[in-house]
């Protein structure tokens, strides 16, 4: 497939946004902030970034499901699962060892195996479990998309919106949901299919304008409703409006994908550093938490506290830069290359 600039830009922005989320998390979950300007700054950056993981999933869906190559299921799974399982094992060992060193975990093989099986070693590694599940069902989804009309895919996406977005919102708003079994179209498989749909089919200009308006509304809802819900909650953060399956985050994600596909923004040539970050995006995701923890623990002379309005961008640039350099080095060393496909 011809390399698409807008996918590169979306990968870059999604990788940066993931780092922003984790840098900002310490601010928006801090009970001492009392919803003053530091907390509001953290909420601002979080609200700008919550689309990151759904975007990674949409890009994967666009590439995996649009491929017309006839690959036997066993061959596909061997190739794709190897790129997930091997890094998952390696980085699980690394993060587990680091937590044992810090005294957060007590080492035992049974503890490691249990944490590995349940995805409880480090908070961001859940993404690998989720994407592994999507890869396992990709051969079946390809049979569907290969034989489906556009209206069939739209029907699939409507069911997903009902099962994973509307029902999720309904549970939050009224405390219950309609119990109908739609597991086939639930959770991240919808974003996976949505990426394929938006990549494959064209949207009319009028529809795009509505989507852009929805994206702006989604960001405003994320920012203000999170503030409103947090102020009235016993917890420092009302998380619902940050959730990837909240209606507002869905609107932001689809708007950004469409914006970069159809406008000159997504056709802007990549600077050399952009190419490096795009190619390192998965590695940045894997390593950035370790970089953050190490800077906080060992290099506090660069991990100093600033007002979050400045501190979050500063720390994000620092973490992305160091992570990118480390990923670049790892990929150049043959014995380490398997850590980051």
């Amino acid at each position: 497939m011809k390399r698409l600039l807008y996918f590169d830009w979306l990968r870059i922005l999604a990788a940066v946004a993931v780092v922003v989320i984790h840098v900002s998390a310490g601010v928006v979950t801090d009970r001492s902030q009392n919803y003053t300007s530091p907390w509001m700054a953290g909420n601002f950056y979080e609200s700008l970034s919550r689309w990151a993981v759904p975007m990674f999933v949409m890009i994967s869906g666009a590439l995996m499901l649009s491929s017309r190559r006839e690959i036997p299921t066993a061959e596909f799974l061997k190739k794709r699962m190897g790129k997930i399982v091997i890094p998952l094992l390696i980085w699980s060992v690394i993060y587990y060892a680091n937590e044992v060193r810090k005294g957060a975990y007590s080492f035992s093989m049974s503890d490691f195996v249990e944490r590995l099986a349940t995805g409880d070693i480090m908070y961001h590694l859940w993404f690998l479990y989720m994407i592994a599940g999507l890869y396992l069902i990709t051969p079946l989804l390809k049979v569907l998309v290969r034989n489906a009309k556009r209206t069939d895919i739209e029907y699939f996406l409507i069911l997903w919106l009902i099962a994973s977005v509307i029902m999720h919102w309904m549970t939050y708003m009224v405390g219950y949901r309609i119990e109908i079994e739609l597991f086939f179209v639930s959770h991240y498989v919808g974003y996976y299919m949505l990426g394929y749909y938006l990549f494959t089919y064209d949207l009319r200009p009028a529809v795009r304008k509505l989507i852009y308006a929805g994206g702006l509304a989604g960001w405003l809802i994320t920012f203000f409703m999170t503030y409103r819900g947090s102020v009235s909650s016993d917890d420092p953060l009302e998380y619902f409006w940050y959730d990837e399956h909240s209606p507002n985050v869905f609107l932001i994600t689809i708007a950004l994908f469409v914006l970069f596909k159809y406008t000159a923004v997504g056709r802007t040539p990549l600077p050399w550093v952009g190419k490096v970050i795009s190619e390192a995006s998965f590695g940045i995701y894997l390593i950035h938490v370790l970089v953050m923890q190490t800077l906080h623990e060992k290099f506090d002379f660069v991990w100093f506290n600033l007002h979050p309005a400045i501190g979050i961008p500063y720390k994000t640039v620092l973490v992305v830069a160091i992570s990118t350099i480390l990923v670049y080095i790892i990929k150049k060393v043959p014995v380490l290359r398997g850590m980051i496909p």
Side-chain angles (χ1 to χ4, degrees), residues 11 15 38 80 89 97 134-135 153 157 167 224 228 240 246 260 279 307 312 314 316 328 332 335 339:
R11 281 193 200 95
R80 289 295 160 186
L89 289 173
L134 291 177
Y135 283 166
I153 305 298
L157 292 172
M167 292 300 178
F224 288 108
R228 182 175 179 271
F240 173 82
S246 62
F260 277 81
E279 292 172 358
H307 189 287
I312 290 171
Y314 162 71
T316 297
Y328 182 81
K332 291 296 183 182
V335 72
M339 295 172 64

Side-chain angles (χ1 to χ4, degrees), residues 127-310:
F127 177 80
L128 278 73
Y129 294 82
M130 179 267 291
I131 206 72
L134 291 177
Y135 283 166
L136 285 172
I137 65 171
T138 291
L140 301 176
L141 293 176
K142 289 187 73 170
V143 173
L144 171 63
V145 301
R146 195 179 300 126
N147 294 280
K149 302 186 292 292
R150 178 172 182 167
T151 52
D152 297 326
I153 305 298
E154 290 169 347
Y155 177 61
F156 183 102
L157 292 172
I158 289 169
L159 290 178
W160 169 68
L161 279 172
I162 294 169
S164 295
V165 178
I166 295 173
M167 292 300 178
H168 184 49
W169 174 79
M170 181 179 176
T171 302
Y172 172 77
M173 295 299 292
V174 300
Y176 63 86
R177 59 188 293 155
I178 300 171
E179 285 301 327
I180 182 170
E181 187 169 313
L182 290 172
F183 297 131
F184 177 65
V185 292
S186 63
H187 300 295
Y188 283 93
V189 68
Y191 279 118
Y192 201 61
M193 187 68 80
L194 181 61
Y196 165 79
Y197 176 83
L198 293 176
F199 173 68
T200 304
Y201 300 107
D202 288 328
L203 301 176
R204 299 192 309 274
V207 173
R208 289 179 233 157
K209 290 177 182 177
L210 284 174
I211 289 173
Y212 299 148
L216 177 59
W219 177 77
L220 292 172
I221 290 168
T222 306
F223 180 79
F224 288 108
M225 292 303 291
T226 299
Y227 169 72
R228 182 175 179 271
S230 298
V231 167
S232 59
S233 172
D234 293 332
D235 297 318
L237 176 67
E238 171 54 72
Y239 183 79
F240 173 82
W241 303 102
Y242 285 175
D243 190 274
E244 287 88 351
H245 292 97
S246 62
N248 44 295
V249 172
F250 162 73
L251 291 172
I252 299 169
T253 308
I254 189 173
L256 282 171
F257 192 101
V258 172
L259 178 70
F260 277 81
K261 177 180 178 181
Y262 287 100
T263 69
V265 176
R267 296 189 292 271
T268 305
L270 285 174
W272 69 267
V273 70
K275 294 178 183 177
V276 173
I277 294 174
S278 176
E279 292 172 358
S281 58
F282 185 41
I284 292 169
Y285 185 93
L286 292 170
I287 204 172
H288 79 277
V289 173
L290 185 62
V291 171
M292 288 172 55
Q293 292 175 335
T294 304
L295 289 172
H296 176 73
E297 182 182 355
K298 302 291 187 181
F299 300 94
D300 57 352
F301 60 91
V302 295
W303 196 255
F304 45 81
N305 288 324
L306 297 166
H307 189 287
I310 302 170

